[in-house]
Amino acid sequence: QPPVLASGLASDDRHCLIRVAYTRVYMTLLTRGAGAARYSAHVPTTLLEKALIGSSSAVRALADPRQARLVGVVGETTGGAALHRLHRRMERHPVGRTVLQDRPLITSETLHAETLRAMPAGSLGAEYGAFLARHSFDPDERTAVHFVDDPELAYVMTRYRQVHDLWHVLYGLPPTFAGEVALKWLEAAQTGLPMCAAGALAGGVRLTAAQRRAVVRSVLPWAARHALRGPDLMSVYYEREMGRPIDELRAELRVELLPRTIK
């Protein structure tokens, strides 16, 4: 006969109730997140579904890091904690708070190619427009966010994606393997998104031995310096800075450029 506890339940019954309670908590965690869509592109998923989607996308993205859609899915399914931190940081910053309130979008409609071409030579807008034209990039090609449940955090992820090419321009980094790896390390330090560090590591495999040494010697310390005392790149209202000379903006933001030999 099992011993009877002070509460009147036998010890076996108490253990059974504890197991039931843990099972309920576990199932709640697995099923949390499903439900009605909360914004236009939202695909409601449970935590278990996010884990399955994220892991399968990660495997395929490691095989081909150029698959931006897969890399994006990994970011959405693994970046919840980082997005919360980014959102809180932007809310504390006066410009970041305005960005969150206005929710500006960088598209071919909001920043016309003709408008960018007409901007003063050497301005952020002119340099950004030249970058897009030179590499045949289209800001509308950025994939929509689907698997982030909170609409506020979904916008933060959207903003991060849409300013990616602007960071290329701001830091003078070409969209080569070396340039992308350097920018991914900077993004990892700036955002804390796990997929940024994973992308930098995966892309680093494709670099030459000399380039990998340069990453360790120069890129990682550079990214760490920006994380510790650099600007909050997510709290810049880039749309309002398009007409400014890019060197002036770099000086204000304390942007440190990498040596050309690393790019």
Side-chain angles (χ1 to χ4, degrees):
Q1 185 74 14
V4 177
L5 305 180
S7 62
L9 288 175
S11 59
D12 286 350
D13 293 334
R14 174 67 64 86
H15 291 153
C16 182
L17 287 177
I18 291 173
R19 284 196 298 272
V20 169
Y22 274 117
T23 300
R24 286 177 177 172
V25 170
Y26 182 65
M27 292 305 297
T28 299
L29 288 174
L30 288 182
T31 58
R32 189 172 62 190
R38 302 183 64 187
Y39 52 91
S40 59
H42 184 215
V43 178
T45 48
T46 67
L47 290 183
L48 179 59
E49 289 169 333
K50 284 182 175 65
L52 293 174
I53 293 169
S55 58
S56 63
S57 297
V59 171
R60 288 183 289 165
L62 286 173
D64 186 0
R66 294 168 297 182
Q67 293 290 331
R69 183 181 60 83
L70 296 175
V71 174
V73 170
V74 175
E76 293 174 32
T77 55
T78 63
L83 290 173
H84 274 287
R85 289 193 296 269
L86 277 174
H87 187 269
R88 288 195 297 269
R89 195 175 78 198
M90 292 176 73
E91 280 191 319
R92 292 193 298 267
H93 193 287
V95 178
R97 189 162 55 249
T98 302
V99 170
L100 290 176
Q101 291 169 351
D102 293 352
R103 292 194 181 190
L105 297 174
I106 297 175
T107 68
S108 60
E109 290 297 316
T110 60
L111 288 175
H112 292 278
E114 295 81 2
T115 303
L116 295 173
R117 281 196 295 268
M119 288 189 171
S123 65
L124 174 63
E127 294 293 323
Y128 175 59
F131 176 87
L132 295 178
R134 186 164 57 249
H135 300 290
S136 300
F137 287 167
D138 183 347
D140 295 337
E141 291 176 348
R142 294 290 172 190
T143 56
V145 175
H146 296 294
F147 301 108
V148 178
D149 295 321
D150 188 315
E152 291 288 331
L153 302 186
Y155 174 73
V156 173
M157 177 63 84
T158 297
R159 184 66 173 176
Y160 156 70
R161 287 181 183 172
Q162 293 187 346
V163 299
H164 172 86
D165 285 339
L166 279 167
W167 291 0
H168 268 291
V169 174
L170 197 60
Y171 284 87
L173 293 170
T176 59
F177 268 118
E180 290 290 356
V181 167
L183 188 58
K184 273 287 175 278
W185 280 121
L186 177 68
E187 290 175 345
Q190 273 280 325
T191 68
L193 288 166
M195 67 97 174
C196 293
L201 288 169
V205 173
R206 296 170 179 259
L207 300 180
T208 65
Q211 288 173 323
R212 286 195 291 272
R213 286 194 295 270
V215 167
V216 173
R217 184 176 61 251
S218 300
V219 173
L220 292 179
W222 165 78
R225 286 194 297 274
H226 273 78
L228 292 173
R229 58 177 184 270
D232 182 357
L233 296 175
M234 289 292 291
S235 293
V236 177
Y237 210 133
Y238 294 98
E239 293 84 349
R240 297 179 178 178
E241 307 290 351
M242 288 294 170
R244 286 185 65 182
I246 192 169
D247 289 335
E248 179 183 298
L249 183 60
R250 284 169 174 162
E252 180 181 303
L253 296 176
R254 304 188 308 280
V255 166
E256 176 188 348
L257 301 180
L258 280 170
R260 287 189 177 277
T261 53
I262 297 174
K263 304 171 190 179

